[in-house]
């Protein structure tokens, strides 16, 4: 059985020092290094399967093992053939320099500091060779909508609608990022019952580099492609990052009487995103050819002739030609930094050993950076209408990192907690929230689904990680038997029944939203995603796995326009899960202690279902428009692993020894 493997190591080291200058002045400093090493190996990494076994020219261009493996054949309506993730070797050290001083003066506790962050990425990785079969080559222009059978027919004929390959001429892609920040804060005890926190920070985020030279960047005003640091081009590509971003914050805690506290605050923080992250693989750091068929009913080429191969340019000239099919990520000349406004207000009440808290927590992301496909095509215009096709002759997606995103997160959060006492602790939390905005195809930084400027408002939708309801209940209980406990403090009973600890975490949450997609042939707008037409005002959720929602509420789109349903408009199934653990502690001679652990994840072995099939174009209709075969539309065929590798119940055993 062919399998893929992954391995990695993380090394960390910190050196810190504290100097007490006076009873009211303390100075701290630290230096830290964390190095992460990761290797991912797909199956058949020792064989150039596409080039030698299948005989497809233009595949497996890199040296082994990075150039090994099987190409990915994406056939619409079917699970892809091949491995959709390449061989990779990551060597990523991160270095931190921190310094701070704390000064206490009267009712003020003031802190000043600096933080310097250096991040290095050293990657050996190429994009996997891939072929897309959409069914257009065997579909009739103006005839019935193409189906999965058209896609499979395209595959049998070796007539892909899209393809791509890549290799690394320098055998390693590097990215070095520097971040500098200063901060000052004051904790002011205004009254015995009122404390206020005031502070501000300043962050300067220069343009990353590849090390000895800068990034590559496309200048749309001159239609030139620059390798920064060569040919008189500045290392920062002439990109203006401004004079830094200020981050003020204000918070307070007011205790009108014992056991009752009101807390609140607000802050502005710099967007936690490396603007050069994607540029680590820019052309020519990674040289790849990517193309889509000019006409959706004509293949981009044939497997027998293979994918065109690009050659490495001379980067010393500074300005290099950009061949058709090359992909890149660009940055604007005036870079606007994104930021997040966070705010909260909570009320906390203590009743004996119980603690109750309720509050509002929210944030707004402004100028959030996302991938914008500057080579978008117009509705009905096809490849010929793509913005860079006439200029560069390329139909590939060409991304510019722009601050287009704007999202809102608002939540009501409640907590009930019994603090640990008499061998027992309990904590329960509930969150009701909504996360919505003009965003992207994943949980933050990602691609706009529609890049065409006049249609960008259609991207405004719930974020697909939005979960409206989340409930957690966690508890720990110690055995009441044994030394120092209430019962059986000595003897055999204490030895057998003492030292046990039982823990459990129960989680119940609602589902995540997903988009009802449709075939985009009639839309014919490269770079944009098509949505289905919603033909019913309300979409009934049936539950179950065979037909999770009313599939008759949606229809394919045959007109030259976007569908009427919104992105992420239907919510998938929620989940309930129980994890449990049993610990047993032992006291051994010579001050040695041991703890034996048994942990079970998904103790009840309850399946957590994933979202159902969501492409309405897979449905088959008769001449009267009645559904004859849903072909998986609305059907749940997989599980959601709930941030784990496996959804099924499994056990972990462990032994911890301290001395």
């Amino acid at each position: 059985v062919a399998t893929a493997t992954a391995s990695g190591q993380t090394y960390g080291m910190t050196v810190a020092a504290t100097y007490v200058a006076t009873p009211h002045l303390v100075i701290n400093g630290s230096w830290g290094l964390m190095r992460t090493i990761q290797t991912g190996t797909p199956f058949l990494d020792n064989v150039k399967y596409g080039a030698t076994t299948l005989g497809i020219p233009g595949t497996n261009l890199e040296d082994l093992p990075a150039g090994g493996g099987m190409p990915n054949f994406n056939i619409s309506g079917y699970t892809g053939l091949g491995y959709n993730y390449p061989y990779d070797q990551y060597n990523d050290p991160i270095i931190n320099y921190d310094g701070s001083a704390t000064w206490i003066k009267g009712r003020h506790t003031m802190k000043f500091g600096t933080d310097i962050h250096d991040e290095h990425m050293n990657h050996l990785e190429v994009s996997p060779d891939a072929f897309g079969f959409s069914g257009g080559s065997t579909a009739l222009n103006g005839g019935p909508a193409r189906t999965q059978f058209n896609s499979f027919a395209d595959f049998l004929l070796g007539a892909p609608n899209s393809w791509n390959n890549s290799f690394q001429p320098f055998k390693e892609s590097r990215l070095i990022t520097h971040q500098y920040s200063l901060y000052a804060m004051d904790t002011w005890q205004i009254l015995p019952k009122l404390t206020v926190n005031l502070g501000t920070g300043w962050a300067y985020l220069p343009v990353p580099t590849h090390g000895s030279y800068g990034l590559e960047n496309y200048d749309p005003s001159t239609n030139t492609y620059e390798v920064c640091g060569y040919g008189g081009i500045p290392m920062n590509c002439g990109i203006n990052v401004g004079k830094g971003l200020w981050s003020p914050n204000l918070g307070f805690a007011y205790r009108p009487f014992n056991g009752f506290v009101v807390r609140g605050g607000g802050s502005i923080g710099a967007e936690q995103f490396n603007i050069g992250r994607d540029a680590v693989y820019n052309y020519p750091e990674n040289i790849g050819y990517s193309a889509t068929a000019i006409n959706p009913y004509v293949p981009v080429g044939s497997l027998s002739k293979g994918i065109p191969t690009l050659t490495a340019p001379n980067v010393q000239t500074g300005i290099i030609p950009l061949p058709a099919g090359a992909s890149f990520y660009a940055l604007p000349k005036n870079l606007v930094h994104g930021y997040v406004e966070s705010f909260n207000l909570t009320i906390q009440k203590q009743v004996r050993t119980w603690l109750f808290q309720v509050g509002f927590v929210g944030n707004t992301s402004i100028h959030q950076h996302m991938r914008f496909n500057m080579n978008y095509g117009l509705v009905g215009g096809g490849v010929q209408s793509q913005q860079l096709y006439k200029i560069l002759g390329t139909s590939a997606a060409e991304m510019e990192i722009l601050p287009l995103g704007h999202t809102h997160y608002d939540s009501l959060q409640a907590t009930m907690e019994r603090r640990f006492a008499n061998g027992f602790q309990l904590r329960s939390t509930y969150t009701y929230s909504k996360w919505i905005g003009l965003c992207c195809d994943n949980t933050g930084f990602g691609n706009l689904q529609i890049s065409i400027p006049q249609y960008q408002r259609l991207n405004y939708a719930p974020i697909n990680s939005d979960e409206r309801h989340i409930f957690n209940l966690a508890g720990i209980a110690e055995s009441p038997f044994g030394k120092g406990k209430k019962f059986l403090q000595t003897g055999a009973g204490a030895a057998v029944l003492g030292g046990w600890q039982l823990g459990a975490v129960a989680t119940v949450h609602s589902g995540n939203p997903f988009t009802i997609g449709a075939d985009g042939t009639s839309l014919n707008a490269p770079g944009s995603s098509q949505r289905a037409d919603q033909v019913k005002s309300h979409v009934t959720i049936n539950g179950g796995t065979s037909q999770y929602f009313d599939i008759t509420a949606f229809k394919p789109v045959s007109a030259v326009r976007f569908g009427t349903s919104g992105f992420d408009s239907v919510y998938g199934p929620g989940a309930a899960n129980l994890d449990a653990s049993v610990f047993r502690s032992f006291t051994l001679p010579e001050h040695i202690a041991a703890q034996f652990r048994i942990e079970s994840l998904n103790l009840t072995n309850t399946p957590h279902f994933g979202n159902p099939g969501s492409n309405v174009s897979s449905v088959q209709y008769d001449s009267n428009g009645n559904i004859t075969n849903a072909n998986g539309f609305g059907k749940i065929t997989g599980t959601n692993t709930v941030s784990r590798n496996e959804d099924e119940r499994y056990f972990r055993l462990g032994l911890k020894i301290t001395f």
Side-chain angles (χ1 to χ4, degrees), residues 31 169 349 354 413 428 556 568 592-593:
W31 174 89
K349 181 71 172 71
W354 290 88
Q413 300 182 6
S428 174
D568 291 329
I592 298 176

Side-chain angles (χ1 to χ4, degrees), residues 159-207:
N161 176 259
S162 63
W163 55 16
N164 62 265
N165 61 14
S166 72
F167 68 96
Q168 284 180 292
F170 309 128
K171 306 307 176 188
E172 185 179 61
S173 296
R174 303 176 61 201
L175 188 75
I176 299 178
T177 306
H178 303 287
Q179 300 177 7
Y180 308 94
S181 65
L182 301 171
Y183 61 89
M185 61 183 67
D186 179 18
T187 301
W188 182 14
Q189 187 78 43
I190 299 178
L191 299 170
K193 296 183 177 182
L194 176 63
T195 302
V196 173
N197 292 283
L198 298 166
T200 189
W202 173 81
Y204 181 67
L205 311 171
V207 179

Side-chain angles (χ1 to χ4, degrees), residues 303-343:
L303 294 186
S304 59
K305 293 184 178 180
I307 311 174
T309 303
L310 304 179
T311 57
N314 178 15
V315 299
Q316 303 291 331
T317 59
I319 296 178
I320 61 176
L322 195 62
S327 297
F328 59 83
Y329 289 86
L331 293 172
K333 289 296 184 179
N334 288 303
L335 191 64
V336 177
H337 285 293
Y339 58 94
V340 179
E341 297 176 344
S342 301
F343 32 88

Side-chain angles (χ1 to χ4, degrees), residues 400-423:
E400 187 173 14
I401 310 302
L402 293 178
L404 300 175
H406 190 106
T407 66
H408 298 274
Y409 173 82
D410 300 289
S411 68
L412 171 68
Q413 300 182 6
T415 302
M416 180 181 69
E417 180 179 2
R418 183 189 187 277
R419 295 178 174 177
F420 191 83
N422 300 320

Side-chain angles (χ1 to χ4, degrees), residues 112-126:
F112 313 88
T114 182
D115 179 26
I116 300 174
H117 181 84
D118 291 340
E119 181 178 319
H120 299 252
M121 298 172 62
N122 306 284
H123 289 185
L124 169 60
E125 179 180 20
V126 296

Side-chain angles (χ1 to χ4, degrees), residues 290-311:
S290 176
T292 302
I294 295 177
N295 186 319
Y297 297 99
V298 177
V300 69
S302 66
L303 294 186
S304 59
K305 293 184 178 180
I307 311 174
T309 303
L310 304 179
T311 57

